[in-house]
């Protein structure tokens, strides 16, 4: 089976600015912020935090899980230090790595096909996971928007390509396998 990712280009190394990432793919999720400086400076600064998901949220409701994630994002954003602020009037941009089967309909939307890896949140199946996260982010007033939804393989490919323009493929061998 192959599910389209809607990623139609990869990093060039010219990227500049503040970017956030959320990687949800198991019993923990990771939030990351990075200041990119283009080809000359590359990764100027980066910080991350890993958060454990309480087991009851893995089988509860979509709102419960995504509210928990949004709160963790807000706590992480609140620790922004010097040089980690977005340009005035600009929302923080979030890349969302969601490592579960998703039928994507655009670069920033996708419908959950089914849960794996111990998750079983019935009301999230057949829902747009970006819309669910966005509702929770807006509920707490966090100035952030998802600009890209990818799986872990595409995230690995993009990260590898940022550092080496010859990278053309990525493979994940973990709880799940993907290429």
């Amino acid at each position: 089976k192959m599910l389209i990712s809607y990623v139609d280009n990869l990093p060039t190394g010219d990227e500049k600015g503040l970017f956030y990432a959320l990687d949800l793919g198991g019993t923990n999720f990771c939030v990351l912020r990075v200041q990119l400086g283009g080809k000359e400076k590359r990764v100027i600064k980066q910080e991350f935090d890993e958060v454990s998901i309480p087991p009851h949220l893995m089988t509860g409701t979509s709102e419960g899980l995504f509210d928990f994630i949004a709160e963790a994002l807000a706590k992480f954003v609140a620790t922004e230090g010097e040089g980690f602020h977005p340009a005035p009037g600009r929302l923080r941009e979030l890349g969302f790595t969601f490592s579960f089967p998703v039928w994507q309909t655009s670069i920033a939307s996708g419908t959950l096909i089914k849960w794996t890896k111990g998750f079983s949140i019935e009301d999230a199946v057949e829902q747009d996971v970006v819309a669910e996260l966005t509702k929770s982010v807006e509920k707490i007033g966090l100035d952030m928007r998802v600009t890209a939804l990818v799986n872990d393989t595409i995230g690995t490919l993009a990260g590898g390509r940022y550092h080496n323009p010859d990278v053309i493929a990525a493979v994940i061998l973990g709880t799940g396998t993907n290429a």
Side-chain angles (χ1 to χ4, degrees):
K1 291 183 180 180
M2 185 178 121
L3 298 170
I4 193 165
S5 70
Y6 282 88
V7 174
D8 61 1
N9 58 53
L10 292 170
T12 63
D14 292 325
E15 294 79 12
K16 292 182 180 181
L18 173 65
F19 300 93
Y20 276 82
L22 165 63
D23 183 355
L24 175 62
T27 56
N28 299 313
F29 65 89
C30 185
V31 290
L32 166 95
R33 71 177 141 246
V34 62
Q35 185 72 40
L36 300 178
K39 283 196 183 346
E40 296 298 315
K41 297 181 181 175
R42 292 291 176 164
V43 175
I44 297 170
K45 190 174 180 185
Q46 70 179 12
E47 298 173 343
F48 74 95
D49 191 21
E50 192 168 340
V51 180
S52 293
I53 302 171
H56 73 278
L57 292 178
M58 295 172 61
T59 58
T61 64
S62 180
E63 181 179 24
L65 175 65
F66 287 107
D67 282 359
F68 179 78
I69 292 169
E71 290 290 341
L73 272 169
K75 287 178 190 170
F76 187 65
V77 166
T79 66
E80 278 181 355
E82 188 63 35
F84 270 132
H85 299 289
R90 187 169 174 194
L91 287 176
R92 288 171 179 85
E93 296 183 42
L94 178 69
F96 185 13
T97 301
F98 188 78
S99 302
F100 300 93
V102 169
W103 184 262
Q104 280 197 249
T105 52
S106 74
I107 187 66
S109 62
T111 303
L112 178 62
I113 296 170
K114 68 177 183 173
W115 287 106
T116 57
K117 306 174 194 176
F119 283 77
S120 182
I121 304 171
E122 290 305 315
D123 68 339
V125 176
E126 298 184 2
Q127 298 302 310
D128 181 346
V129 293
V130 173
E132 294 298 303
L133 178 59
T134 299
K135 279 192 282 190
S136 294
V137 164
E138 289 175 349
K139 190 187 307 182
I140 61 173
L142 182 58
D143 62 339
M144 182 175 278
R145 70 181 176 97
V146 175
T147 56
L149 173 67
V150 299
N151 64 32
D152 50 356
T153 308
I154 297 296
T156 300
L157 175 61
R161 183 64 172 257
Y162 181 77
H163 293 287
N164 182 344
D166 293 331
V167 170
I168 58 168
V171 177
I172 297 295
L173 300 172
T175 306
T177 302
N178 199 359

